[in-house]
Amino acid sequence: MFSSVNSLARMAIAIATTIAAGSALAQSGEVNVYTYRESKLVQPLFDAFSKDTGIKVNVISASSGLEQRIKSEGEHSPADVLLTVDIGRLEDAIRAGISQPIASPTLDKMVAPQYRDPEGHWYAISMRARVIYASKERVTQNAITYDELADPKWKGKICIRSGQHMYNNALFAAYIAKHGEAKAESWLRGLKANLAQKPSGGDRETARDVAAGKCDLGIGNTYYWALMNNGGPNQKPWADATRVILPTFEGGGTHVNVSGVVLAKHAPNKANAMTLIEWLVGEKAQHMYADMNYEYPLRAGIAVNPTIAGYGTLNPDPLPLAKIADNKKKAANLVDKVGFDN
Ligand SMILES: [Fe+2]
């Protein structure tokens, strides 16, 4: 008697499990994404995802403070996924304690170890490189190292945005990780001494200033040049006046940063969040990153956009991004120490 009650209970559990699995297969429901990315960049991705899976994506966009918001929402936070650019921001999210490890053999297969957190708290989904916009008119060389940016031959010829901006912070942190703080300091002093003007503007403005003859080398991310080149009449001349050189570290490759994802600690729609995260490294999404955002696909075997391919073959620095994140604070301190932004 006792055992037949027990088996009835087991049967009930089995039925409930089947129903749960059935509803998961139907992929109904929604997923809540908090993002720092511009909605015009990510909305087409989410639309395609919803079309493929039937899962609705609710987007909360902001330019700052999302980690704090998720933290203050606590256990009741609706956040499922945080989507952001930059290794620094991904690490900030982990340090804020708002993440949980992502366990996915699919992602582990698609995303190389250097582009994910060793504990699984973040995964990169696309890449960008920090490169040189060189004057077509005044720069003849086709190759350059990051070290050479400190060579006095470039005195008064380099334009760059603030040394405290996250893109430069990651580049400087990578330099520290490779060469140590002392060498990084003298390199940064050399680069500072070569600046044509006080660090200012964004990456596109460095190309604008090269085009205007204020400097010969601008430092910027790969996708901005493609956006200028394929953009409107205002910015096209900035791309026309420059060409992209992929710089390299001594004995290493080109500095890359990423966009990536974090699974929120209290994600109410965890299964849908995992579906979304895995979808983002799928072929369709990776092609969209390549052709709509001009980013490098993270996944091997996806073609880069022809404009980006025109820069030459990217050989990404093999340094794990987690090592760059470890040196973020030191890089920020060094920028202050050498008065880089003054
Ligand atoms: Fe950007």
Side-chain angles (χ1 to χ4, degrees), residues 37 85 128 161 165-167 203 221 223-224:
R37 303 219 67 181
V85 297
R128 59 278 303 285
R161 75 195 306 167
H165 187 273
M166 57 186 175
Y167 299 159
D203 288 356
N221 282 354
Y223 54 90
Y224 287 118

Side-chain angles (χ1 to χ4, degrees), residues 27-42:
Q27 300 289 15
S28 60
E30 52 189 18
V31 61
N32 302 319
V33 177
Y34 285 37
T35 184
Y36 288 120
R37 303 219 67 181
E38 279 179 61
S39 73
K40 70 167 191 256
L41 296 182
V42 291

Side-chain angles (χ1 to χ4, degrees), residues 277-310:
I277 293 171
E278 290 177 353
W279 186 89
L280 288 170
V281 293
E283 277 193 39
K284 187 184 286 181
Q286 290 288 299
H287 277 295
M288 290 177 83
Y289 273 109
D291 288 326
M292 297 172 60
N293 296 1
Y294 300 112
E295 294 181 69
Y296 288 94
L298 198 85
R299 182 177 159 162
I302 307 285
V304 296
N305 179 271
T307 303
I308 301 290

Side-chain angles (χ1 to χ4, degrees), residues 214-297:
K214 291 183 184 171
C215 28
D216 290 354
L217 305 177
I219 294 169
N221 282 354
T222 36
Y223 54 90
Y224 287 118
W225 194 92
L227 287 168
M228 293 184 288
N229 188 55
N230 299 338
N234 284 347
Q235 296 180 4
K236 177 83 168 106
W238 307 347
D240 288 343
T242 55
R243 70 198 154 82
V244 170
I245 305 176
L246 303 178
T248 51
F249 286 110
E250 264 171 23
T254 300
H255 172 66
V256 297
N257 206 325
V258 294
S259 79
V261 286
V262 166
L263 176 62
K265 190 174 188 176
H266 302 292
N269 307 293
K270 187 174 167 182
N272 290 344
M274 289 304 300
T275 304
L276 172 62
I277 293 171
E278 290 177 353
W279 186 89
L280 288 170
V281 293
E283 277 193 39
K284 187 184 286 181
Q286 290 288 299
H287 277 295
M288 290 177 83
Y289 273 109
D291 288 326
M292 297 172 60
N293 296 1
Y294 300 112
E295 294 181 69
Y296 288 94

Side-chain angles (χ1 to χ4, degrees), residues 163-235:
Q164 293 297 11
H165 187 273
M166 57 186 175
Y167 299 159
N168 285 334
N169 178 262
L171 171 62
F172 301 162
Y175 195 99
I176 294 172
K178 288 176 166 298
H179 301 297
E181 262 177 286
K183 192 174 171 194
E185 181 174 338
S186 65
W187 175 68
L188 215 51
R189 285 189 191 282
L191 173 56
K192 166 71 182 164
N194 286 343
L195 298 186
Q197 58 191 13
K198 196 176 138 132
S200 63
D203 288 356
R204 292 182 221 226
E205 282 69 36
T206 70
R208 178 197 66 193
D209 291 347
V210 172
K214 291 183 184 171
C215 28
D216 290 354
L217 305 177
I219 294 169
N221 282 354
T222 36
Y223 54 90
Y224 287 118
W225 194 92
L227 287 168
M228 293 184 288
N229 188 55
N230 299 338
N234 284 347
Q235 296 180 4

Side-chain angles (χ1 to χ4, degrees), residues 2-339:
F2 183 75
S3 90
S4 80
V5 168
N6 208 9
S7 65
L8 272 178
R10 272 205 302 271
M11 199 187 292
I13 291 168
I15 291 166
T17 310
T18 309
I19 290 168
S23 60
L25 279 176
Q27 300 289 15
S28 60
E30 52 189 18
V31 61
N32 302 319
V33 177
Y34 285 37
T35 184
Y36 288 120
R37 303 219 67 181
E38 279 179 61
S39 73
K40 70 167 191 256
L41 296 182
V42 291
Q43 198 55 52
L45 279 165
F46 295 150
D47 290 345
F49 168 74
S50 296
K51 214 171 145 201
D52 279 0
T53 62
I55 300 170
K56 183 173 174 243
V57 183
N58 304 310
V59 184
I60 290 168
S61 300
S63 55
S64 64
L66 286 173
E67 298 87 3
Q68 290 79 355
R69 176 167 171 172
I70 296 171
K71 202 178 166 88
S72 64
E73 287 168 347
E75 282 177 46
H76 304 294
S77 173
D80 291 307
V81 173
L82 176 69
L83 186 71
T84 183
V85 297
D86 199 77
I87 176 58
R89 276 197 166 147
L90 291 166
E91 278 291 323
D92 286 348
I94 311 316
R95 292 210 181 100
I98 57 159
S99 62
Q100 62 173 304
I102 296 168
S104 162
T106 305
L107 285 171
D108 288 347
K109 208 169 76 187
M110 303 290 185
V111 182
Q114 79 195 85
Y115 301 124
R116 51 180 147 100
D117 175 41
E119 315 289 327
H121 282 261
W122 59 260
Y123 280 74
I125 46 183
S126 67
M127 283 194 297
R128 59 278 303 285
R130 196 121 185 92
V131 297
I132 304 298
Y133 309 149
S135 164
K136 275 184 189 165
E137 216 176 77
R138 299 179 299 279
V139 178
T140 50
Q141 67 192 66
N142 292 315
I144 196 164
T145 62
Y146 291 108
D147 280 278
E148 197 194 313
L149 297 174
D151 188 316
K153 85 179 215 195
W154 296 110
K155 193 162 182 56
K157 292 186 160 51
I158 300 177
C159 287
I160 190 169
R161 75 195 306 167
S162 164
Q164 293 297 11
H165 187 273
M166 57 186 175
Y167 299 159
N168 285 334
N169 178 262
L171 171 62
F172 301 162
Y175 195 99
I176 294 172
K178 288 176 166 298
H179 301 297
E181 262 177 286
K183 192 174 171 194
E185 181 174 338
S186 65
W187 175 68
L188 215 51
R189 285 189 191 282
L191 173 56
K192 166 71 182 164
N194 286 343
L195 298 186
Q197 58 191 13
K198 196 176 138 132
S200 63
D203 288 356
R204 292 182 221 226
E205 282 69 36
T206 70
R208 178 197 66 193
D209 291 347
V210 172
K214 291 183 184 171
C215 28
D216 290 354
L217 305 177
I219 294 169
N221 282 354
T222 36
Y223 54 90
Y224 287 118
W225 194 92
L227 287 168
M228 293 184 288
N229 188 55
N230 299 338
N234 284 347
Q235 296 180 4
K236 177 83 168 106
W238 307 347
D240 288 343
T242 55
R243 70 198 154 82
V244 170
I245 305 176
L246 303 178
T248 51
F249 286 110
E250 264 171 23
T254 300
H255 172 66
V256 297
N257 206 325
V258 294
S259 79
V261 286
V262 166
L263 176 62
K265 190 174 188 176
H266 302 292
N269 307 293
K270 187 174 167 182
N272 290 344
M274 289 304 300
T275 304
L276 172 62
I277 293 171
E278 290 177 353
W279 186 89
L280 288 170
V281 293
E283 277 193 39
K284 187 184 286 181
Q286 290 288 299
H287 277 295
M288 290 177 83
Y289 273 109
D291 288 326
M292 297 172 60
N293 296 1
Y294 300 112
E295 294 181 69
Y296 288 94
L298 198 85
R299 182 177 159 162
I302 307 285
V304 296
N305 179 271
T307 303
I308 301 290
Y311 305 160
T313 305
L314 176 71
N315 170 28
D317 179 21
L319 186 72
L321 289 177
K323 290 263 184 301
I324 295 176
D326 290 344
N327 288 284
K328 236 165 76 83
K329 187 103 181 63
K330 282 181 189 163
N333 291 341
L334 217 49
V335 164
D336 282 345
K337 189 177 175 188
V338 307

